[in-house]
Amino acid sequence: MLSIDFIRQHPDIVREGLRRRCETQQIDEILRLAEQKRGIAARCDVLYSELKAEKEAVRTAGQRQRTGLNNRIKETSGAIRKLEGEMNEIDTHLQFLLLRLPNLPHQSVSAGGEERQDRELRRWGEPIPFYFEPQAHWDLGEHLHLIDVAGGVRIAGSRFVVMRGMGARLERALISFMLDVHTQEHGYTEILPPFLAKRSVMQGAGELPKFEDQAYLCNEDELYLNPTAEVPLVGLHSDTILPPDTLPLRYVSWTTAFRREAGSAARQNRGLLRLHQFNKVELFQIVAQEEDSYEAFEQMVRHAETILQRLELHYRVMELCAPNLPFASAKTIDLEVWMPWQQAYVEISSLSNCEAFQARRANIKYRPGSGSHAEYAHTLNGSGLAIGRTMAAVLETYQQADGSIIVPKVLRPYMGAAVLKP
């Protein structure tokens, strides 16, 4: 969430940030309501002073004077209640508008031009040459009895799958491999949070109200199914002031994620690329403002890249332009893995620096030193990696002419096998 004080003091910066995002929402109504609230607050202050003076006068007044003073106290109190009611209504409307404003792009983020093009930063590896016609990962998965699409449809409908046998083991191997690398080599603490979150937690992470139509809601309890582990990890420290020397906090979390994916691109709806339920390993950091959160951000990108490099999967690194930024992000880097059957790059990790945007919404603060004023922290998040998409890339990249799959070397200790055969 953007600070109302920042919006009031720097309206041109906010307007420019929204323009770069190609965001249609304006701040004129926010500024008008903020000014109206200030005016009412000033009137309340005057009435509070009058009320205080009237109450003091009653103590020393005679019997005849008290009746008149009590009437004035009643009138002043009534006027204050009316103004406070108006101020509460304005606050509600202001909160409604502020919650819908996206984060402002970092100054280094490009506008993207008319075509909203992202910028390629680098590539790692090369696409593996095939001397036969490569198959799609869903065909390979069904042929090897790793992926059961029909079973998923019977259980829950379209865009749900069942993982069978070595397919289920491969999914578990990828999760364990990623968690081991991030905890043992990159210094993250593993967290296994609840898979349900309160509305306030969803709102704090920036999922609500913007993405209400994408979330699964348990109406009776008003709990939301986790759309990404970023949400409960934000909630873990909501309404908290972290003591000095606590930061940075580094968390890695495996969760199952649930998304309705309303209106998603039809060309990526097959196989494991865009499911309603999928597993993901999430990287999350809370860092201090006075430290360079962008240095931590670059490090987090390298941590996610490490997984792709260990799996020997060709990928490219993309810096998103302002119009393509996620709602809560000030800067985002996407890792896109090469999919041989599609002959295209597919996003496998999206890493974002949200600066203080989520911390302000979730009220996550820290004290830089003993007795110092509490400040909002910066939050960073990113996939490290999406499991289904990683599996899809492994199946397509390591497929053989006979339909078998070579297991990447780093996964063999987890799989107990070097080859997946029909």
Side-chain angles (χ1 to χ4, degrees):
M1 180 185 292
L2 301 181
S3 161
I4 186 62
D5 290 335
F6 181 85
I7 295 173
R8 283 183 52 252
Q9 294 166 16
H10 307 284
D12 292 339
I13 293 177
V14 177
R15 288 192 178 99
E16 174 61 14
L18 295 176
R19 185 197 65 77
R20 289 174 62 204
R21 269 185 169 267
C22 298
E23 174 63 48
T24 57
Q25 188 170 342
Q26 300 299 315
I27 61 170
D28 295 339
E29 180 68 1
I30 291 174
L31 292 172
R32 186 188 70 80
L33 290 170
E35 195 59 34
Q36 187 178 347
K37 179 183 174 182
R38 288 182 69 201
I40 293 174
R43 287 159 60 192
C44 279
D45 288 341
V46 172
L47 289 174
Y48 282 130
S49 296
E50 292 179 3
L51 183 62
K52 182 179 179 181
E54 289 164 359
K55 288 182 176 180
E56 288 177 355
V58 167
R59 296 191 186 98
T60 59
Q63 186 63 40
R64 292 181 180 179
Q65 294 174 311
R66 284 186 181 178
T67 301
L69 285 170
N70 284 331
N71 288 337
R72 284 164 59 186
I73 289 172
K74 186 176 180 181
E75 290 174 4
T76 304
S77 298
I80 290 173
R81 284 195 297 271
K82 182 180 179 182
L83 289 175
E84 287 178 339
E86 292 176 11
M87 201 151 48
N88 287 337
E89 288 182 8
I90 292 173
D91 268 335
T92 300
H93 195 187
L94 262 177
Q95 189 77 356
F96 176 86
L97 295 175
L98 288 171
L99 286 173
R100 284 157 177 77
L101 274 183
N103 202 355
L104 301 182
H106 186 264
Q107 60 186 7
S108 66
V109 176
S110 70
E114 292 183 2
E115 297 181 0
R116 303 186 180 185
Q117 290 184 338
D118 300 325
R119 183 163 67 99
E120 182 175 321
L121 300 181
R122 58 185 176 274
R123 298 188 181 192
W124 187 88
E126 296 289 339
I128 292 178
F130 285 90
Y131 302 100
F132 57 92
E133 189 68 29
Q135 299 182 63
H137 72 271
W138 51 83
D139 290 329
L140 291 162
E142 292 207 52
H143 176 65
L144 294 172
H145 306 292
L146 308 176
I147 305 171
D148 182 356
V149 175
V153 172
R154 278 193 295 272
I155 295 169
S158 63
R159 286 201 266 176
F160 290 90
V161 300
V162 170
M163 307 305 296
R164 287 184 176 272
M166 293 301 281
R169 187 162 185 170
L170 177 56
E171 179 128 352
R172 180 158 49 90
L174 285 166
I175 293 169
S176 297
F177 163 65
M178 293 179 194
L179 290 174
D180 286 349
V181 171
H182 293 314
T183 56
Q184 297 172 17
E185 299 182 30
H186 297 156
Y188 290 81
T189 298
E190 185 175 348
I191 301 290
L192 184 58
F195 285 10
L196 292 165
K198 297 183 292 186
R199 183 178 185 85
S200 61
V201 172
M202 290 280 285
Q203 185 172 285
E207 292 292 320
L208 299 180
K210 175 71 173 178
F211 304 108
E212 188 100 36
D213 63 335
Q214 301 292 338
Y216 285 102
L217 170 63
C218 304
N219 286 295
E220 186 172 343
D221 303 301
E222 201 173 358
L223 290 172
Y224 291 82
L225 283 171
N226 165 50
T228 168
E230 170 194 346
V231 170
L233 292 176
V234 168
L236 188 60
H237 293 289
S238 60
D239 297 316
T240 299
I241 298 178
L242 298 166
D245 302 323
T246 302
L247 301 182
L249 291 173
R250 287 182 174 182
Y251 296 139
V252 59
S253 181
W254 157 75
T255 65
T256 301
F258 303 87
R259 298 180 189 172
R260 293 186 63 246
E261 295 288 3
S264 59
R267 67 185 181 87
Q268 287 193 355
N269 283 352
R270 293 194 66 185
L272 303 176
L273 297 186
R274 197 173 290 276
L275 299 173
H276 292 309
Q277 173 186 317
F278 57 95
N279 288 314
K280 185 155 70 82
V281 170
E282 185 79 3
L283 304 178
F284 184 80
Q285 291 194 33
I286 302 177
V287 301
Q289 281 195 30
E290 73 265 14
E291 296 175 3
D292 187 0
S293 65
Y294 281 91
E295 183 177 333
F297 178 56
E298 291 175 7
Q299 185 184 57
M300 180 182 282
V301 172
R302 292 195 297 270
H303 291 162
E305 285 187 77
T306 297
I307 301 299
L308 288 167
Q309 292 171 11
R310 298 278 179 87
L311 291 169
E312 299 182 74
L313 296 173
H314 170 54
Y315 67 92
R316 66 180 182 179
V317 181
M318 304 293 292
E319 181 181 282
L320 299 197
C321 63
N324 294 338
L325 287 176
F327 177 78
S329 175
K331 185 169 184 174
T332 294
I333 300 292
D334 277 2
L335 306 183
E336 297 181 347
V337 70
W338 177 252
M339 301 294 289
W341 181 82
Q342 287 192 37
Q343 289 291 291
Y345 292 96
V346 171
E347 177 206 319
I348 198 168
S349 175
S350 188
L351 302 110
S352 297
N353 187 343
C354 298
E355 297 184 355
F357 188 83
Q358 289 178 324
R360 186 171 284 108
R361 294 170 74 104
N363 195 27
I364 303 172
K365 295 182 177 181
Y366 70 100
R367 295 193 190 279
S370 179
S372 61
H373 178 71
E375 300 178 10
Y376 287 109
H378 282 193
T379 60
L380 320 173
N381 68 80
S383 305
L385 305 161
I387 302 301
R389 293 186 173 209
T390 306
M391 183 186 294
V394 166
L395 294 179
E396 291 195 13
T397 299
Y398 285 92
Q399 63 180 295
Q400 305 299 299
D402 63 357
S404 64
I405 308 291
I406 301 296
V407 176
K409 293 178 183 177
V410 292
L411 296 181
R412 291 174 190 175
Y414 299 91
M415 292 290 294
V419 182
L420 305 180
K421 298 180 179 180

